[in-house]
């Protein structure tokens, strides 16, 4: 619509002037905001795209190996120079290591990031970014669990998909009796064990509301015991094998088609089942992970998934926050992301390619991922110590040498409490 | 006629002595000149970091205030310290013993071999040492997995079916001992063999004429003559062993269930610095490891009168 009193020719002149200003701006004269950003090789692609997209942003991109990010940040902070404005945290719970009194790197994001954006993240997607009640990072991708299964083989054996952990255990017992050699996962993999114990609602290290740096560690509860009992019985009958999903033995059996069903993260299909276990097309399907019969809904644990955080003393807070929002929620960056995006509105677009993928046995995979995201456990949170390391130290060798998880629980509880205390937590047991 | 000549001789002697002294001094100067780049690097990357760490260990990481011995208290209070000390102690004991026995025996065997065979075998022993320790860990993880190991028949004889059982049965200290032995033994065999070949031939000849057989010759004559080299190897291996880090740190490559981030003392120091950001406690731990290895080395050197020239 033309405004009154503005002639068409005047509009054209205004338009030309405006265009030439824009041209001049993109050419050179726009003030450049320089941001230093750290990320792994995958994230560097996103950074480059953002750098190309934004005329007024000049990125200094540094590639940092995921496992070195925390280490290098500690050094940069100690040196007081070369501190990045924005970082990728490859394992989101590590955010806790970057928001301590000693390593005070991450900026509190509440009130800075657009609240309407935050509302559309999947439930608890940002739980591992909350340290002592403060939101200090945004998730880059989610990795919650699904039930991955061999659909034609399940049908051939005449099994129904287990909806509960009780049915999961019964399936294992039936397999052991009638189809020996087939199995449902690992009894020694720390990440798998962590997921199964937490799905039962065990308080391995639950932050206590309203008390900073305080964790509830109680492994003697009925919730922990029901998970331990299930794992012990399944390890005994061989339906959970004593090798981890990346071990030669596990891979060999999975390649032979013996892995009937596996409760594992969203990336398991694309990055393990397809390339590593070489499962043929048309066999793999995904479903909502099991719940305990007494529980109203499943509690889904996660294995991986990163986040982005911003330096709390950055000179360019607004630019860094804007970039953070783009990285996590923009269609441009997340529609073709490698792993499941955390922000629901663009994730729907991302899921389209799964629906079109003929590799999977049905078109229900993305729906299962979305539903499962809705049950993400709020206890999958930020910790200043690595729980899988603790499980790997205490539980994995014990089970491998024939002891039970149940008899290991007191030892595990002591180790968690001790490790947490060294990391500066107060421990309560009730 | 005799007197003036003697005078001249004396003068000539004096002049020769002065020339020799000058020459010596010039030689020393040249030696220091050649040493200078090394000394500079030693100060920059050896002495300075050690002094910096010792200083750091007495200060609080956040406030930067002088903290006295509190970092040392925190480090000594760590619930993992005792176990790590035991782990590293066991490893060092096993490794140094194996080095002393294994290297001396192998070098002595090479010494009595025909020359061409000895040189070949020595080169073969040296080869594993050319692989870096990080690569050796990966190699060993394969060797210790009955599923993929070329020696799986050995494991199946003993009844070990998976890597866990293998590592559990040998023990982590045993595994690291094996890794380190194959990484370092080759180099020391070359040194030890060098020491053996340098022994005076006439002594060996005399012993042989007196009826000494090869084993007796090695045990009674050769080894007592090269003990300094053996002691040097023990001291250096000990200092190296106490700093064990790469091998346990890289175990996680074989899967998270094998990962150990607190097995050795150096790993604990690493955890404090880079997981908790507490450089003070980390420096205190490192300083204590340094003190430990320096005192053990000093003890060996003094007890064996290592530097005494007889």
């Amino acid at each position: 619509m033309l405004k009154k009193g503005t002639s068409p020719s005047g509009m054209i002149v205004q338009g030309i002037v405006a265009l030439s200003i824009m041209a001049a701006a993109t050419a050179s004269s726009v003030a450049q905001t320089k941001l230093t950003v750290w990320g792994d090789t995958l994230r560097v692609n996103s950074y480059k795209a953002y750098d190309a997209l934004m005329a007024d942003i000049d990125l200094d991109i540094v590639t940092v190996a995921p496992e070195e990010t925390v280490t290098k940040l500690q050094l940069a902070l100690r040196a007081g120079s070369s501190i990045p404005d924005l970082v990728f945290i490859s394992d989101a719970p590590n955010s806790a290591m970057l928001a301590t009194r000693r390593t005070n790197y991450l900026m509190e994001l509440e009130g800075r990031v657009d609240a309407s954006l935050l509302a559309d993240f999947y439930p608890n997607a940002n739980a591992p970014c909350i340290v002592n009640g403060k939101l200090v990072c945004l998730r880059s991708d989610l990795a919650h669990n699904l039930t991955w299964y061999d659909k034609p083989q399940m049908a051939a054996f005449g099994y129904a998909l287990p909806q509960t952990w009780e049915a999961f255990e019964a399936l294992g017992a039936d397999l052991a009796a009638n189809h020996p050699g087939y199995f449902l996962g690992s009894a020694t993999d720390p990440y798998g064990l962590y997921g199964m114990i937490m799905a039962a609602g065990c308080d391995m290290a639950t932050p206590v509301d309203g008390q900073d740096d305080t964790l509830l560690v109680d492994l003697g509860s009925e919730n922990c015991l029901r998970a331990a009992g299930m794992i012990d019985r399944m390890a005994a009958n061989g339906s959970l094998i004593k090798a981890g999903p990346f071990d030669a033995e596990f891979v060999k059996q999975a390649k032979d088609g013996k892995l009937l069903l596996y409760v594992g993260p969203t990336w398991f299909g694309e990055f393990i089942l397809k390339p590593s276990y070489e499962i043929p097309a048309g066999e793999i399907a995904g479903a909502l992970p099991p719940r305990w019969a007494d529980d109203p809904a499943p509690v889904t644990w996660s294995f991986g998934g990163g986040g982005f955080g911003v330096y709390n003393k950055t000179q360019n807070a607004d630019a860094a926050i804007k970039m953070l929002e783009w990285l996590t929620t923009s269609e441009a960056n997340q529609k073709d992301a490698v792993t499941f995006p955390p922000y629901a509105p663009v994730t729907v677009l991302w899921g389209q390619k799964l629906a079109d993928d003929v590799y999977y046995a049905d078109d229900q995979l993305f729906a299962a991922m979305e539903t499962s995201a809705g049950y993400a456990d709020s206890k999958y949170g930020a910790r200043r110590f690595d729980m899988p390391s603790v499980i790997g130290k205490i539980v994995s060798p014990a089970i491998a040498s024939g002891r039970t998880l149940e008899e290991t629980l007191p030892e595990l509880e002591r180790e968690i409490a001790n490790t947490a205390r060294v990391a500066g937590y107060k421990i309560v047991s009730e | 006629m005799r007197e003036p000549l003697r005078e001249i001789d004396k003068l000539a002697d004096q002049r020769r002595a002065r020339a020799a002294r000058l020459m010596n001094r010039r030689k020393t100067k040249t030696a220091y000149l050649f040493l200078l780049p090394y000394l500079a690097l030693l100060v920059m990357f050896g002495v300075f970091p050690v002094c910096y760490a010792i200083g750091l260990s007495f200060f609080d990481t956040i406030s930067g205030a002088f903290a006295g011995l509190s970092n040392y208290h925190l480090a000594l209070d760590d619930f993992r310290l005792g176990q790590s000390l035991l782990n590293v102690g066991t490893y060092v004991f096993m490794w140094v013993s194996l080095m002393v026995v294994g290297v001396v025996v192998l070098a002595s065997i090479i010494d009595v071999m025909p020359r061409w065979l000895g040189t070949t075998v020595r080169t073969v022993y040296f080869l594993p040492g050319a692989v870096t320790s990080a690569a050796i860990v990966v190699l060993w993880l394969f060797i210790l997995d009955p599923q993929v190991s070329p020696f799986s028949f050995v494991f199946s004889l003993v009844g070990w079916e998976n890597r866990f059982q293998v590592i559990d049965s040998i023990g982590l200290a045993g595994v690291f001992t094996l890794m380190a032995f194959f990484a370092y033994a080759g180099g020391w065999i070359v040194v030890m063999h060098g020491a053996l070949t340098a022994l005076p031939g006439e002594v060996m000849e005399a012993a042989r004429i007196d009826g000494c057989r090869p084993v007796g010759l090695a045990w009674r004559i050769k080894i007592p003559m090269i003990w300094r080299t053996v002691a040097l190897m023990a001291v250096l291996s000990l200092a190296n062993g106490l700093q064990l880090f790469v091998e346990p740190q890289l175990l996680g490559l074989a899967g998270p269930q094998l990962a150990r981030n607190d097995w050795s003392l150096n790993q604990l120091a690493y955890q404090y610095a880079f997981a908790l950001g507490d450089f003070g406690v980390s420096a205190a731990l490192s300083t204590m490891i340094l003190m430990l290895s320096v005192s053990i080395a000093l003890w060996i050197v003094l007890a064996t009168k290592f530097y005494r020239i007889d």
Side-chain angles (χ1 to χ4, degrees):
Chain A
M1 285 291 277
L2 296 179
K3 270 199 287 179
K4 251 187 192 162
T6 314
S7 69
S9 60
M11 276 291 289
I12 290 166
V13 172
Q14 277 178 4
I16 289 169
V17 170
L19 269 176
S20 53
I21 289 171
M22 275 169 67
T26 44
S28 67
S29 69
V30 157
Q32 297 263 303
T33 306
K34 197 173 168 75
L35 291 176
T36 305
V37 293
W38 285 11
D40 61 353
T41 43
L42 209 58
R43 258 40 67 164
V44 162
N45 293 329
S46 298
Y47 295 166
K48 281 181 182 156
Y50 190 71
D51 202 7
L53 190 73
M54 307 299 283
D56 57 342
I57 298 289
D58 179 24
L59 290 186
D60 181 10
I61 300 170
V62 183
T63 311
V64 179
E67 66 277 10
E68 288 177 355
T69 308
V70 174
T71 307
K72 287 197 166 157
L73 261 181
Q74 300 273 21
L75 286 177
L77 286 170
R78 169 131 199 100
S81 66
S82 310
I83 304 173
D85 299 290
L86 180 146
V87 288
F88 172 66
I89 304 160
S90 65
D91 197 15
N94 285 348
S95 62
M97 296 182 188
L98 301 174
T100 65
R101 220 157 56 85
R102 268 179 221 291
T103 309
N104 188 6
Y105 174 82
L106 291 170
M107 174 187 278
E108 190 184 351
L109 300 172
E110 211 90 50
R112 285 184 176 272
V113 171
D114 192 343
S116 65
L117 286 179
L118 289 180
D120 280 336
F121 275 72
Y122 285 103
N124 293 327
N126 286 321
C129 284
I130 296 173
V131 178
N132 288 332
K134 294 185 180 108
L135 181 73
V136 293
C137 65
L138 293 183
R139 289 299 288 279
S140 63
D141 55 329
L142 303 186
H144 47 281
N145 281 342
L146 292 182
T147 297
W148 295 95
Y149 63 104
D150 185 336
K151 196 170 185 178
Q153 194 64 60
M154 285 284 279
F157 286 158
Y159 290 134
L161 194 66
Q163 304 293 329
T164 61
W165 288 103
E166 286 86 347
F168 176 76
E169 186 187 335
L171 174 64
D174 196 275
L175 267 188
N178 299 317
H179 305 286
Y182 284 86
F183 67 110
L184 303 175
S186 166
T188 55
D189 169 44
Y191 290 92
L193 290 169
Y194 194 16
M196 285 190 276
I197 300 171
M198 292 307 293
C202 181
D203 285 304
M204 292 184 84
T206 309
V208 178
D209 269 345
Q211 295 181 47
D212 281 3
D213 294 335
T214 307
L215 297 174
L216 168 64
V217 181
D218 174 17
L219 272 65
S221 71
E222 193 48 47
N223 283 347
C224 306
L225 290 172
R226 64 181 178 179
M230 176 190 83
I231 292 164
D232 286 335
R233 288 185 293 273
M234 292 181 76
N237 68 26
S239 52
L240 293 180
I241 65 171
K242 291 176 180 177
F246 310 106
D247 284 354
E249 190 184 347
F250 193 109
V251 175
K252 187 164 157 270
Q253 298 198 34
K255 277 183 177 173
D256 290 345
K258 302 289 188 191
L259 180 61
L260 185 66
L261 180 149
Y262 186 80
V263 179
T266 43
W267 46 265
F268 212 72
E270 210 61 20
F271 295 96
I272 304 293
L273 292 169
K274 198 192 271 189
S276 173
Y277 299 169
E278 295 165 4
I279 312 282
E283 293 186 3
I284 295 299
L288 192 64
R291 63 182 165 84
W292 286 88
D294 291 343
D295 296 350
V299 174
T300 49
W301 197 246
S302 298
F303 177 2
F308 292 102
V310 171
Y311 183 32
N312 51 22
K313 297 192 186 72
T314 174
Q315 302 297 310
N316 301 299
D318 291 339
I321 295 283
K322 203 173 151 198
M323 181 170 171
L324 174 75
E325 291 178 353
W326 183 85
L327 287 165
T328 51
T329 63
S330 76
E331 187 184 325
N333 189 45
Q334 290 283 32
K335 187 166 77 83
D336 297 315
V338 178
T339 42
F340 192 92
Y343 180 68
V346 296
T347 308
V348 180
L349 304 170
W350 177 88
Q352 201 56 49
K353 70 175 176 194
L354 279 185
D356 300 339
D357 192 340
V358 292
Y359 176 75
Y360 297 102
D362 58 32
D363 55 5
Q364 294 305 301
L365 181 57
F366 179 65
M369 285 184 180
E370 269 223 300
T371 321
S372 175
Y375 296 115
D377 193 350
S378 62
K379 290 180 192 166
Y380 185 72
R383 305 277 183 282
R384 291 203 292 267
F385 61 95
D386 186 41
M387 185 68 85
S389 301
V390 180
I391 298 173
K393 179 180 173 185
I394 302 296
V395 181
S396 303
I399 294 185
S401 61
R403 290 172 63 203
T404 64
L405 173 56
E406 194 174 328
E407 62 181 300
T408 320
L409 285 179
E411 200 185 327
L412 179 62
E413 183 178 289
R414 263 198 310 279
E415 184 77 14
I416 295 172
N418 280 333
T419 310
R421 278 194 200 102
V422 168
Y425 286 105
K426 284 187 283 294
I427 305 300
V428 293
S429 54
E430 308 244 308
Chain B
M1 279 303 280
R2 303 290 298 173
E3 285 306 304
L5 257 182
R6 211 171 279 164
E7 225 23 58
I8 291 169
D9 267 357
K10 210 189 262 172
L11 268 176
D13 272 353
Q14 276 174 3
R15 205 169 295 159
R16 230 174 277 141
R18 199 180 310 144
R21 236 178 298 143
L22 263 177
M23 190 74 170
N24 258 339
R25 208 174 296 160
R26 206 171 299 151
K27 265 189 193 157
T28 324
K29 262 187 200 157
T30 325
Y32 278 118
L33 205 65
F34 275 113
L35 264 176
L36 198 64
Y38 170 74
L39 287 176
L41 289 174
L42 181 73
V43 168
M44 280 159 68
F45 300 109
V47 178
F48 173 72
V50 168
C51 296
Y52 186 74
I54 293 174
L56 203 60
S57 70
F58 293 104
F59 289 90
D60 182 79
T61 313
I62 315 171
S63 62
F66 184 73
L69 289 175
S70 71
N71 285 330
Y72 288 86
H73 280 301
L74 279 172
L76 290 172
D77 273 348
D78 190 293
F79 75 103
R80 301 161 295 187
L81 188 70
Q83 186 60 47
S84 298
L85 197 61
L86 187 67
N87 290 340
V88 173
T90 317
Y91 159 74
V92 167
F93 175 74
M94 288 167 74
W95 183 45
V96 175
S97 315
L98 187 64
M99 284 292 275
V100 168
V101 177
V103 168
V104 170
V105 167
L106 290 172
S108 303
I109 292 176
I110 292 176
D111 196 42
V112 293
M113 281 179 177
R115 198 173 190 84
W116 64 271
L117 186 62
T119 328
T120 318
V121 172
R122 201 177 57 184
T123 313
V124 172
Y125 282 143
F126 184 72
L127 281 180
V131 186
T132 59
S133 60
I136 285 213
V137 176
V138 180
L139 196 72
W140 272 95
L141 289 174
F142 274 101
I143 294 179
L144 295 175
D145 187 346
Q147 295 290 323
V148 290
S149 174
F151 307 109
S152 50
F153 64 93
V154 180
F155 298 136
S156 68
L157 279 182
V158 211
W160 296 337
E161 286 163 4
N162 57 48
R163 188 151 49 194
F164 252 132
Q165 273 179 321
V166 177
I167 293 183
D168 211 43
S169 311
I170 305 177
L172 278 176
V175 171
F176 298 143
T177 299
L178 283 173
M179 287 181 187
F181 180 73
F182 284 101
Y184 295 101
W188 277 110
I189 288 174
V190 174
V191 173
M192 213 59 78
H193 184 226
L196 285 172
T197 29
L199 295 178
E202 59 272 19
V203 177
M204 303 303 132
E205 195 68 40
R208 242 176 255 128
I209 291 169
D210 284 349
C212 208
R213 294 173 160 277
V215 176
L217 189 68
W219 182 244
R220 287 168 199 277
I221 312 286
K222 289 182 188 169
I223 295 173
M225 290 178 87
I226 58 161
W227 70 267
R228 280 210 170 126
T229 318
V230 178
L232 177 71
M233 179 180 76
V235 171
L236 292 182
S237 301
L238 185 106
N240 197 342
L242 283 175
Q243 297 175 42
L244 181 73
F245 177 76
V246 174
E247 286 83 355
Q249 190 75 6
L250 287 183
L251 267 187
L253 286 177
Q257 73 274 26
L258 282 174
R260 290 287 176 283
N261 58 25
D262 56 7
W263 198 85
S264 78
L265 297 168
N266 248 357
Q267 282 185 295
L268 280 187
Y270 179 85
Q271 284 290 317
Y272 271 104
F274 297 120
L276 301 176
D278 196 335
F279 288 79
V281 176
S282 182
L285 255 174
S286 308
T287 306
M288 286 191 283
I289 299 172
L290 177 74
M291 292 309 156
L292 187 65
S293 62
V294 166
S295 25
I296 298 178
L298 272 181
W299 177 72
I300 293 183
V301 166
L302 295 177
T304 61
K305 304 200 174 67
F306 192 77
Y307 288 109
R308 200 174 69 183
I309 298 163
D310 21 40

